[in-house]
Amino acid sequence: MKSSAPGKIILFGEHAVVYGCPALAVPVTQVQAEVEVLHSSQPGIRVHSPAINLNLDLSELPEDNPVAYLIHKFFSSQHCSSSSIVQYFNGVDIHIRSTIPVSAGLGSGAAVSVALLRALSHYLNISLSNEEINELAYETEKLHHGTPSGIDNTVITYAMPVYFVKGHPIETFEVAKPFTIVIADTGIIAPTRDSVRDVNHLWLQDPARINRIFAEISKISSEGRRLIESGQTDALGELMNQNHACLQTLTVSCPELDHLVQQACRAGASGAKLSGSGRGGNMIALVSAENAHQVASALLTAGAKHVIVTVVK
Ligand code: PMV
């Protein structure tokens, strides 16, 4: 049984989303996590993930390994204790493959979780709703990030554009007119946990000032949704620039991200911003279908390690 899940990118609202502000995220199907559960003639539950050099039995993985943690959570959601898993699930190989760069703001951890849950439930003929998948994937996100908003697991589970407000029912939104973005990776690995913690320190020091920035980001996300739903996507570039400036004030940009943002605009993008937790990882730029490749190659020349051109629809 093979299951897959896409990557994701945040268009607007990162960081503020942790404090209950809205954010917009969309799936990125050019990158995928794929999990295959196969019957094996060998006893045990073997987990293979060549990308991270993992080839161990489930019983050898530490409890806080995200794959082991999720498998245990999955079975306990089915009222099966950790000690009795091998009674129901034995002689299996779990193969995990992913083309989603790790710690780059593309949701690699959440995509592996969602694909793994789908593969396990197919193999065992257990039906899991998207709601259950989303909830279990969120539990594992907590291991990766500490206090995640839940946006990654949500957009990846539903694989649709999502207007996300923490703790609120899921709202998807329509893209009235498809638009193109270029995603460029600084190649810098920056843990989400650290930038989220630093924003929290800023907030604790001066809540009134940081709340004003969050309020501005909220307006940007809501306006972004309105523009996307009404097909006025040309105006999204200016909103990206404004959102990037807010994120700079929150200290989550870095010289490499600022450089890529500037170079994208110089090459003809109508706006750009960092995307995700920042300090590294990815940025996005709004482009026309005609200048997408020009902007993508300018970003590579400016030092980006990978670029993805994707149409949001
Ligand atoms: O992990 P990333 O890079 O996709 O960023 C997560 C977005 C944050 O808003 C910074 C954190 C969160 O949990 O929403």
Side-chain angles (χ1 to χ4, degrees):
M1 289 289 156
K2 211 188 266 184
S3 296
S4 59
K8 72 99 210 347
I9 198 88
I10 297 180
L11 297 179
F12 298 106
E14 49 277 270
H15 285 288
V17 68
V18 175
Y19 297 79
C21 303
L24 304 188
V26 293
V28 176
T29 50
Q30 281 93 339
V31 285
Q32 297 271 336
E34 193 179 87
V35 176
E36 195 169 15
V37 178
L38 296 169
H39 177 70
S40 161
S41 53
Q42 301 298 314
I45 302 164
R46 195 97 199 148
V47 183
H48 307 263
S49 180
I52 53 164
N53 250 332
L54 176 72
N55 182 3
L56 287 174
D57 191 83
L58 180 64
S59 58
E60 297 170 298
L61 289 172
E63 260 174 44
D64 63 352
N65 172 282
V67 172
Y69 183 81
L70 185 61
I71 292 174
H72 286 112
K73 282 269 168 203
F74 167 77
F75 279 100
S76 83
S77 77
Q78 302 304 312
H79 311 291
C80 173
S81 71
S82 293
S83 54
S84 55
I85 291 178
V86 283
Q87 268 179 276
Y88 304 99
F89 195 53
N90 201 354
V92 282
D93 278 339
I94 300 175
H95 293 269
I96 301 170
R97 295 177 206 96
S98 176
T99 55
I100 309 175
V102 176
S103 287
L106 288 171
S108 63
V112 167
S113 296
V114 170
L116 177 59
L117 288 165
R118 294 214 165 108
L120 288 174
S121 59
H122 288 158
Y123 185 84
L124 293 162
N125 232 342
I126 291 170
S127 107
L128 276 190
S129 65
N130 276 341
E131 212 176 347
E132 288 168 304
I133 290 175
N134 198 22
E135 213 160 281
L136 288 165
Y138 180 59
E139 288 303 311
T140 311
E141 285 292 283
K142 290 185 194 162
L143 265 190
H144 290 287
H145 299 327
T147 53
S149 62
I151 190 167
D152 282 23
N153 46 283
T154 303
V155 66
I156 288 168
T157 299
Y158 291 87
M160 287 175 81
V162 166
Y163 174 86
F164 181 85
V165 184
K166 192 175 164 180
H168 284 225
I170 288 134
E171 279 185 61
T172 55
F173 62 91
E174 292 294 323
V175 179
K177 185 174 142 208
F179 58 96
T180 308
I181 56 172
V182 179
I183 304 170
D185 190 352
T186 59
I188 300 169
I189 293 193
T192 300
R193 190 185 276 272
D194 294 355
S195 60
V196 169
R197 181 204 54 217
D198 292 350
V199 170
N200 187 249
H201 285 164
L202 285 183
W203 184 74
L204 290 171
Q205 277 162 15
D206 192 347
R209 185 173 82 92
I210 302 302
N211 282 339
R212 278 196 298 276
I213 299 169
F214 289 161
E216 206 176 317
I217 296 177
S218 286
K219 267 207 262 164
I220 291 170
S221 294
S222 302
E223 178 64 2
R225 176 179 179 172
R226 193 186 68 76
L227 293 173
I228 294 171
E229 287 186 325
S230 59
Q232 301 176 70
T233 43
D234 294 348
L236 290 173
E238 182 45 33
L239 283 185
M240 286 187 182
N241 294 338
Q242 289 171 18
N243 198 164
H244 187 69
C246 294
L247 291 162
Q248 283 174 319
T249 314
L250 293 176
T251 75
V252 295
S253 192
C254 64
E256 292 81 357
L257 280 166
D258 290 343
H259 180 61
L260 293 183
V261 164
Q262 269 169 11
Q263 294 306 312
C265 294
R266 191 166 291 171
S270 52
K273 64 182 276 290
L274 72 86
S275 176
S277 53
R279 304 253 172 95
N282 278 286
M283 53 74 70
I284 54 174
L286 181 73
V287 295
S288 62
E290 295 73 39
N291 73 4
H293 289 285
Q294 183 182 322
V295 173
S297 70
L299 285 166
L300 286 170
T301 307
K305 299 295 176 277
H306 312 275
V307 292
I308 298 171
V309 176
T310 187
V311 177
V312 179
K313 47 190 180 205

